[in-house]
Structure formats: C-alpha cells, structure tokens
Amino acid sequence: MIQAVRLRKHYGRTKAVDDLSFTVKPGRVTGFLGPNGAGKSTTMRMVLGLDTPTNGDVTIDGKHYAELKEPLRKVGALLDAKWTHPNRSARSHLKWMAVSNKIPLKRVDEVLEIVGLAEVANKKAGGFSLGMSQRLGIAGALLGDPEVLLFDEPVNGLDPEGILWIRQFMHRLADEGRTVFVSSHLLSEMAQTAQDLIVIGKGQLIAQTTTEQFISDATQDHVRVRSPHALKLREILAASATVTEDAVNGALVVHGLPAPQIGEIAAENQIVLHELSPQRGSLEEAFMQLTKESVEYHAH
Amino acid sequence: MTLLAVERIKLFSTRSPYWCTALALALGVGLTAIIAGTTDNGQMSIGLTQFGSSQLALAVVLVMSALAVTTEYRFSTIRATFLAVPNRTSALVAKTVVVAFIAAVLGEIIAFGSWGLAKVMSPASDLAINTGAEWRHVAGVGLLYGIGAVLAIAVGILVRQTAGAVAILLVWNMLLEGLIGIIPKVGVKIQAWLPFQNANHFLALPGGDPAEQPGAGIDFKLSQWGSLAYFAGIAIALLVVALIVAKRRDA
C-alpha cells in the first residue's frame, strides 16, 4: 500500500505538487491520471525518495523508501526507460542491480525471459528501440519480485502489441496481489488498464474513485431528439427532464429521460419524431472538461 | 562489500575506463620513452622517468575518475543507483573507493612501467632505486593518483556535467596552480598551500636539479609527507562537501 499525506513539492514559486493525499491499494491496478505537467512524475519520484517533499509525507507500507532494506525486493519502479548506460549490456545493467540488493543472479535471466529480451541480453542498451528499453525497464522493476510496482507512462511510444502486452501484464501483477500504480495522461488508456483512479491536475487531487464510477460520473448520457413539433415536445418533456436546444441544427438535447420513454411520451401526444438517438459523452471530452482548469500549457 | 562489487560491475561494464586506462598508460610510459630515447645513454635519472606519470598521465586519471560519476548523471543511471541503494552516501563512497583503488594501481603500473622502460632503453644510466626519497618518487605516484581520483570524483558529484568537471580539473591542475606563481611576491606563498603543488612537493627528489622539478622555487611549509596528507585532506574535505550536497539534492 502506498499512502501520501498532504504531499507538497514546490520549486521556487511553482507548485508541482500541492497538498496531495491518496492511497494506493494492493491487489488492484491504480491509475494515476492527469494532463502533462500535472505533477505525476514528481509525485512518483517522491514516493521513491529521489525527490524530497517540501512538505507532507509519503510511505510504502508505513515506511519511507529510504528506510527499506534492499528496496528493490519491496518496490519495483520504471520511471524512465532511458535510465541505462548506452554502452552497458542489458544483462550487465540488471546484474549490478541484482547484486546491490542481494538478488540471485539467475533471476536476471528469468526477468529477461519474462519481458522477452533473452535474445538481446548481451546487446548494448543504447541500441535498443523505445519498446525494448521499456521492456528492459520493466525487467528491472520485476527483478526483486516486489510487492509494489510503479510505472510512469509505461505505454508511451509503444506499438499496439506492446500496449496490449503491458496492459495484460499489469493485470496479472495485480491479480497476484501486488500493488500496481501506473501513471498516464490518457484516460482512454487508463479506462482499459486501471480499476481505481487517482486524478490530479496542477498538482492537486481532482478525484480518487473506481474507474467505473469515474467514467459514469464524467460521461452523462443524453438523448438527441428532432421533431417538426419541437416546441410542443419541449414543453411536455420539460416537465420530467432537462431539455436544451442544439444551436447548430435545432435538435433537442434531453438529459434525464431514456430514449424509449421519450418515444412513448411523443406517441401519447401524437408528435412525429424525425430522430431519437441515445448519445454517450466521450471519455476524452469528459476528462478534458474535468481537467480544463488545471492544464498548465494551452494550445491556442 | 556488496556496494564495492556493484560499483566494480558498473565501472567495468562500460568502455570509458578501458580507454582512459590505455590512454594514461600510453601517455605516461610514452613520454618516458621519448625522454629516454632523446637523452644520451647514461644521462637518464629517476626524476626524468616520472615526468610522464606524475604530470601527463595524472590528468587522464583525473578525467577518468570524474567520468565515473558524471556519466552516471548524464545517463540518469545515478537515479537507478539511488533507487537500488537509497543511502546515497554509502553508494557514492563505494564508488570513490573502487575508482581510487583502480587509479592507485594504475599509478603504480605507470610509474614502475616508465622506470622499467627507461632502464631498458638507457642501460648505462644509474636508475637503481636506493634511497627512501627515490622510492617515494616512484612508488608515490600511485598514492597521488588515488587521492587525485577522490578529488576528481568530488568535483564530478558537485558539477554533474562531464564537460564542466573535466574543464575545472584540467585548468586547475595544469594551468591555474602554475599561473598563480606569476603573481609578484605573494604568488609563491599561495602556491605553497595549493593541493596539486603539494602533491608535486611530495614526489620531489632532494638535491636534484631544481629547474627539472615541478614546483621548484616554492617555499613549502610542510614536510613532504605532510604535503601528501594536506593533499589528501583537501580531497576528502571536498568529497565530504560533495556527499552532503548529493544527499540534500533532488536526484
């Protein structure tokens, strides 16, 4: 379990992380969602003791990262796939990590096998593609067979096959009872990967909830209705729902009544309908709506 | 012990230490070969055999030591290191010990290699190592390299960039300390307390032609071993500062 309490990180006047509290539970994949620059990486670096919080506290099973003895056996992390020396082979990279935490060297070949890099184990990491580097980073995270795993934007730059592989992989890790904490700036990706969501913007907590709940809250259903008797229909529907008019094409947008019921009401009142279509708000749109205020850099 | 093994694996799984070692050997022993080749047979002295090791090759060893840290920052493997070993002080001390040890061994190889080569090339010269001062002059090179490595690592940790650290070390060692002597009256007094001048003082052979020796004309206040201790003290003090900074700084 990862627990952050009133975590703050200020760089001069910039508040990268501002009063952030959350809990990441074991046995589930928890998504850490926010636009670029929201403070996701900074938070993860504070979890791992690389950056010191300006204020507040973050612990892993009640301990600070720096207090862990042989930390790689407890926490595995992939923050940046490029944290390797380009002239060092994949095996040597994992070997020094293994030795540092007294992990048996046969585990190095095991994890290389798991991530599918066994054949290039003796090749220099500098020659790896981004996808291969990500796999090497994941191998490093798995090295100590840790209970807690952190991944920062692990699918960035991966091909669809790689994305699917990572997604299934994270589910397997969570099913084994591990704590999996994974960040992304893409809600659509998180919707398919994470069971729980921690959503932040400009360093502040926006929501902590299950993915299911977050999506249903964020994307309200509505029905589009077009009728030659729009005015009359609108009056009748307004009694039991919120009705607005689409300024572009004059269609009615009905919130709060399902499509079949609208059709029945129209039939009772002998109103002709030209269109009756249930709409679902797009996930990305909802997310953008939610984090609009907290996006740091806008394109104009 | 574990951390020493880690740093050894890290150092020898990249190419730069091999290149720097080869270069230091080539320059150190090579310069002696040129000097021996151009000096009349019988005219070589022990002092002349160590010009390459104590001046030229030392610079390469300083660069190699600084690189051992700055490449870690350059490729962010320092972060991977701090994730594996959250106690930053012990991780960096382990690195310092490994690099300083390698530098010291390399120093002995270059010093005695130069001496041996001069003996072969100039058999009529008196190159027998008899006195304590002569032993210090040859065998002391390893100590100088080891301490120099500590100093270079400290600079590397503080500066974090290869170009910056290398520039500081080379200008400091090869130019700055020598140029300070140009300042009228006080120059030589300041020089008596500069670390690399004291390092040279430690190696100096008594009675030799003063013009032949680096650091000639400086009125050192310390004994020769005192000068070495002073050089070591400065290197360790700088390392302590670097370790404190590294511990406080965000990685």
Side-chain angles (χ1 to χ4, degrees):
Chain A
M1 192 171 82
I2 304 170
Q3 192 152 31
V5 183
R6 312 209 61 174
L7 205 55
R8 279 174 205 268
K9 180 72 185 178
H10 295 183
Y11 298 104
R13 286 196 167 171
T14 318
K15 294 173 176 177
V17 175
D18 196 13
D19 205 15
L20 186 62
S21 301
F22 60 82
T23 310
V24 183
K25 289 184 224 120
R28 297 174 73 85
V29 177
T30 303
F32 194 26
L33 189 63
N36 287 327
K40 303 186 295 292
S41 298
T42 307
T43 304
M44 287 198 155
R45 294 155 55 86
M46 286 193 282
V47 174
L48 296 169
L50 289 177
D51 287 7
T52 316
T54 310
N55 234 317
D57 204 20
V58 59
T59 52
I60 297 159
D61 286 347
K63 279 186 177 173
H64 293 119
Y65 188 88
E67 293 164 1
L68 298 173
K69 199 173 167 276
E70 293 165 7
L72 299 186
R73 290 169 175 272
K74 176 83 182 172
V75 184
L78 165 62
L79 289 201
D80 190 325
K82 288 290 172 196
W83 287 0
T84 55
H85 192 294
N87 279 336
R88 194 174 282 140
S89 71
R91 180 176 275 124
S92 298
H93 175 70
L94 295 173
K95 189 179 161 195
W96 75 253
M97 288 172 73
V99 170
S100 71
N101 278 245
K102 299 194 173 68
I103 296 162
L105 286 179
K106 70 173 200 307
R107 179 72 183 156
V108 168
D109 290 308
E110 269 174 39
V111 293
L112 282 167
E113 194 70 46
I114 292 172
V115 300
L117 287 179
E119 277 171 33
V120 291
N122 293 319
K123 292 261 175 2
K124 293 188 169 81
F128 282 9
S129 68
L130 184 53
M132 288 160 87
S133 298
Q134 294 278 34
R135 283 169 189 261
L136 178 57
I138 291 172
L142 295 176
L143 196 60
D145 197 18
E147 292 159 48
V148 180
L149 287 134
L150 282 85
F151 300 103
D152 194 7
E153 305 267 3
V155 301
N156 256 12
L158 288 191
D159 51 15
E161 190 205 2
I163 292 175
L164 187 66
W165 177 76
I166 288 200
R167 201 181 284 156
Q168 291 170 341
F169 194 68
M170 284 192 284
H171 281 148
R172 214 171 73 214
L173 292 170
D175 290 344
E176 289 166 3
R178 300 175 211 260
T179 309
V180 182
F181 191 35
V182 52
S183 82
S184 175
H185 61 279
L186 299 172
L187 177 58
S188 52
E189 173 54 36
M190 284 295 94
Q192 295 176 74
T193 310
Q195 289 140 335
D196 290 336
L197 278 184
I198 293 164
V199 186
I200 65 167
K202 268 195 182 161
Q204 290 177 319
L205 188 72
I206 292 176
Q208 167 154 27
T209 166
T210 65
T211 309
E212 212 176 320
Q213 184 67 41
F214 180 79
I215 290 170
S216 78
D217 285 355
T219 63
Q220 250 185 355
D221 292 350
H222 63 270
V223 183
R224 258 163 63 97
V225 188
R226 286 201 300 151
S227 159
H229 313 294
L231 266 177
K232 190 177 170 197
L233 181 65
R234 186 172 177 167
E235 259 172 44
I236 296 164
L237 289 178
S240 47
T242 322
V243 188
T244 51
E245 200 177 291
D246 190 326
V248 181
N249 52 21
L252 297 176
V253 178
V254 184
H255 285 273
L257 270 182
Q261 226 172 316
I262 296 170
E264 279 159 26
I265 292 171
E268 274 168 30
N269 294 282
Q270 296 186 320
I271 292 170
V272 176
L273 294 183
H274 287 174
E275 183 187 347
L276 178 67
S277 57
Q279 307 279 317
R280 196 166 164 76
S282 107
L283 218 49
E284 290 304 325
E285 236 171 70
F287 176 53
M288 265 147 65
Q289 196 70 30
L290 201 63
T291 56
K292 194 170 54 186
E293 259 92 74
S294 54
V295 172
E296 200 162 356
Y297 305 102
H298 292 279
H300 291 288
Chain B
M1 280 323 277
T2 309
L3 294 181
L4 296 181
V6 170
E7 292 302 328
R8 183 177 48 81
I9 295 169
K10 282 206 292 199
L11 197 64
F12 288 114
S13 57
T14 61
R15 271 185 300 189
S16 75
Y18 295 101
W19 280 107
C20 286
T21 303
L23 188 66
L25 264 170
L27 287 177
V29 181
L31 188 65
T32 308
I34 294 170
I35 293 172
T38 51
T39 306
D40 292 335
N41 194 1
Q43 297 301 306
M44 273 302 275
S45 65
I46 287 186
L48 282 174
T49 64
Q50 298 306 318
F51 246 62
S53 69
S54 66
Q55 304 301 311
L56 202 53
L58 174 65
V60 181
V61 170
L62 293 178
V63 170
M64 177 189 83
S65 310
L67 275 176
V69 201
T70 54
T71 50
E72 288 239 38
Y73 280 101
R74 162 77 177 79
F75 299 116
S76 290
T77 48
I78 195 76
R79 293 179 180 144
T81 302
F82 291 160
L83 284 185
V85 188
N87 186 338
R88 298 180 186 182
T89 304
S90 28
L92 291 170
V93 166
K95 181 186 287 296
T96 309
V97 169
V98 169
V99 175
F101 177 75
I102 291 166
V105 171
L106 182 62
E108 297 304 334
I109 293 171
I110 295 175
F112 282 97
S114 299
W115 171 78
L117 188 74
K119 225 170 148 56
V120 171
M121 288 179 68
S122 186
S125 303
D126 172 26
L127 291 175
I129 305 176
N130 305 317
T131 66
E134 285 168 344
W135 274 109
R136 190 185 61 234
H137 189 72
V138 180
V141 171
L143 288 173
L144 213 65
Y145 281 23
I147 297 167
V150 174
L151 191 104
I153 285 176
V155 171
I157 294 172
L158 287 168
V159 180
R160 288 188 281 186
Q161 292 170 3
T162 302
V166 167
I168 288 171
L169 287 166
L170 292 187
V171 168
W172 177 5
N173 171 33
M174 304 188 97
L175 289 172
L176 186 68
E177 292 205 359
L179 288 175
I180 282 176
I182 296 172
I183 303 171
K185 291 177 192 155
V186 287
V188 281
K189 287 183 184 161
I190 299 172
Q191 275 183 319
W193 297 101
L194 294 178
F196 286 104
Q197 298 299 329
N198 275 282
N200 284 327
H201 179 230
F202 163 68
L203 290 184
L205 281 169
D209 177 3
E212 237 175 50
Q213 296 193 19
I218 303 171
D219 181 18
F220 289 100
K221 301 291 180 219
L222 300 167
S223 69
Q224 291 189 279
W225 282 100
S227 276
L228 183 79
Y230 179 73
F231 183 45
I234 287 190
I236 288 168
L238 206 56
L239 182 68
V240 168
V241 171
L243 292 175
I244 292 169
V245 169
K247 194 177 165 141
R248 291 189 169 187
R249 202 162 43 188
D250 284 341

